[in-house]
Amino acid sequence: MKIAVLPGDGIGTEIVAQALRVLNALELPLEMETALVGGAAYEAHGHPLPDATLALAKAADAILFGAVGDWKYDTLERALRPEQAILGLRKHLGLFANLRPALCYAELTHASSLKPELVAGLDILIIRELTGDIYFGQPRGRRVAVDGHFPGAEEAFDTMRYSRPEIERIAHVAFQAARKRQGRVTSVDKANVLETFQFWKDVVTEVHREYPDVQLDHMYVDNAAMQLVKAPKRFDVLVTGNMFGDILSDEAAMLTGSIGMLPSASLDKNNKGLYEPSHGSAPDIAGQDRANPLATILSVAMMLRYTLQQPEAADRVEAAVRAVLAQGFRTADIWSEGTSLVGTKAMGDAVVAALTAATKTTPITKS
Ligand code: NAD
């Protein structure tokens, strides 16, 4: 298995360095190659996603991505801005399924804006379709209205659309993920108003026939937004379209309290994936050994589970993260009275130590 390592900008290099130490500690037979991406690639090669980086990403089985961006690039033309690299990778690699777990660790329940009893033990997987919907539908643009409430007025419009194969493949991802969890899928739509999402609901229901062991329910997006703050633990896997997923995944992420703890995976049809923390390059704390590397380390666990098919190793990395939290180690973003404040590297040290201690008792299966 080959891993393309793309640390990127800002804290990206610091957090990826710690994630790599964790991956190396597992002693799996992996080949790794690093390349520039984002602002760092623009500085060196004049483009945020150089051909060589894209070629490496295409050739790899999985991509470990840090973060890209810096405010100093805000004046560049859009195509050359660092964030275009991530959009380019999604497009060129066909990464259509975005998986974002929202997991609330017992030690961090106080960091949530909800009452501890609502979030303690929370473990949701949000699956967002990433390449279709109103974000990419054509036609779109501005024009003079020929009908509607104000004929002759200037108006803007977008097109919401989903094809059957697009819905089928994301539904398969959701049902298969549910099989590895509690076996429940909630499909979120707006079928009461939108033709696109009545079709979505129909197709998800059809695909469900292949997964009789998985429980499926449907929920309108407005209700889902409410339930996420009212009773978030009722969800296991939540699958939805690009726009609803964009909004609900951020809402769910905030239930856990800290952006520094949230991993993500973007998968193609063969489970090849790009794994990255849900946060950005945090230029305000870059180079200060203050970034929380746990979201990136947990992204490595997702890589082990979804692409490398090493569920035991994934469990071990997640257990090591839980162990360091139980031991009281905290980076500044999750620190609270009575816990030990550590930097990025010391947090990496703690996870590697926890992993190594656990590995000594039970060997990891190599593939
Ligand atoms: P951000 O996520 O980088 O930072 C938001 C806040 O969270 C900051 O205060 C930051 O210090 C803190 N934070 C983020 N990650 C942290 C971590 N691991 N540990 C501790 N604190 C952390 O978002 P932003 O400030 O809006 O954006 C900064 C840059 O990142 C921008 O250029 C933006 O475009 C880019 N960005 C990139 C990605 C990506 O690479 N996928 C995603 C989002 C934003």
Side-chain angles (χ1 to χ4, degrees):
M1 287 285 193
K2 182 166 181 173
I3 318 286
V5 181
L6 309 181
D9 307 320
I11 61 169
T13 49
E14 300 168 63
I15 54 180
V16 166
Q18 300 313 313
L20 284 179
R21 290 180 61 212
V22 172
L23 194 52
N24 286 328
L26 293 166
E27 297 183 350
L28 296 168
L30 300 171
E31 194 188 320
M32 294 187 226
E33 194 175 334
T34 301
L36 295 175
V37 73
Y42 172 76
E43 299 287 351
H45 304 291
H47 197 280
L49 184 58
D51 289 344
T53 302
L54 181 59
L56 174 68
K58 280 184 172 169
D61 298 291
I63 299 141
L64 180 61
F65 191 92
V68 290
D70 192 294
W71 303 306
K72 70 182 176 189
Y73 301 114
D74 283 357
T75 52
L76 279 180
E77 66 171 279
R78 194 163 292 281
L80 295 178
R81 290 192 202 161
E83 294 79 3
Q84 292 301 312
I86 190 87
L87 300 178
L89 284 166
R90 278 180 195 164
K91 185 174 134 208
H92 289 292
L93 303 181
L95 304 172
F96 68 92
N98 184 238
L99 276 59
R100 269 219 232 172
L103 203 135
C104 194
Y105 293 88
E107 294 81 3
L108 301 180
T109 45
H110 64 276
S112 172
S113 47
L114 294 191
K115 292 180 199 141
E117 63 267 28
L118 287 183
V119 291
L122 179 79
D123 182 2
I124 310 176
L125 179 63
I126 307 249
I127 300 187
R128 166 189 171 194
E129 200 290 330
L130 210 53
T131 54
D133 205 350
I134 198 165
Y135 289 3
F136 295 97
Q138 295 288 344
R140 59 193 287 161
R142 292 183 184 210
R143 63 188 173 193
V144 174
V146 291
D147 50 18
H149 295 299
F150 296 98
E154 188 185 9
E155 69 174 10
F157 64 102
D158 298 277
T159 302
M160 178 175 271
R161 62 192 293 175
Y162 264 120
S163 63
R164 174 177 284 277
E166 285 176 300
I167 304 169
E168 284 174 348
R169 65 183 183 177
I170 196 78
H172 282 293
V173 172
F175 291 124
Q176 284 165 20
R179 276 185 171 161
K180 295 180 183 167
R181 296 170 48 92
Q182 297 164 39
R184 292 184 291 119
V185 171
T186 302
S187 172
V188 172
D189 60 59
K190 192 70 183 169
N192 50 341
V193 179
L194 297 169
E195 201 58 48
T196 311
F197 275 90
Q198 180 60 56
F199 184 53
W200 170 284
K201 186 174 181 177
D202 295 345
V203 175
V204 170
T205 305
E206 284 173 35
V207 174
H208 178 233
R209 289 190 197 119
E210 295 177 43
Y211 300 88
D213 51 318
V214 177
Q215 187 188 316
L216 169 68
D217 66 340
H218 302 274
M219 192 179 281
Y220 296 140
V221 63
D222 39 351
N223 188 21
M226 280 197 297
Q227 295 301 326
L228 273 173
V229 287
K230 186 175 168 225
K233 282 189 266 186
R234 61 166 290 157
F235 296 107
D236 177 21
V237 174
L238 189 158
V239 64
T240 189
N242 203 345
M243 181 163 67
F244 298 157
D246 190 1
I247 299 162
L248 295 181
S249 61
D250 272 12
E251 185 189 0
M254 273 299 100
L255 302 178
T256 70
S258 173
I259 197 163
M261 296 295 301
L262 297 165
S264 83
S266 301
L267 304 179
D268 78 353
K269 60 180 188 307
N270 300 315
N271 277 348
K272 170 174 174 162
L274 182 146
Y275 297 85
E276 57 172 336
S278 296
H279 58 72
S281 55
D284 53 333
I285 56 166
Q288 299 170 33
D289 194 42
R290 283 173 59 195
N292 184 346
L294 294 181
T296 318
I297 290 170
L298 291 166
S299 300
V300 164
M302 292 189 83
M303 178 192 286
L304 290 162
R305 179 162 290 120
Y306 291 104
T307 296
L308 305 182
Q309 302 297 325
Q310 293 279 347
E312 283 176 35
D315 288 347
R316 281 166 189 270
V317 172
E318 287 164 355
V321 168
R322 277 195 298 276
V324 298
L325 293 175
Q327 287 158 18
F329 293 112
R330 303 281 189 278
T331 42
D333 57 310
I334 52 173
W335 180 84
S336 62
E337 206 63 42
T339 60
S340 313
L341 182 63
V342 293
T344 311
K345 186 169 176 308
M347 185 58 106
D349 291 343
V351 177
V352 170
L355 194 64
T356 313
T359 308
K360 275 181 190 147
T361 49
T362 327
I364 291 171
T365 317
K366 294 189 182 188
S367 70

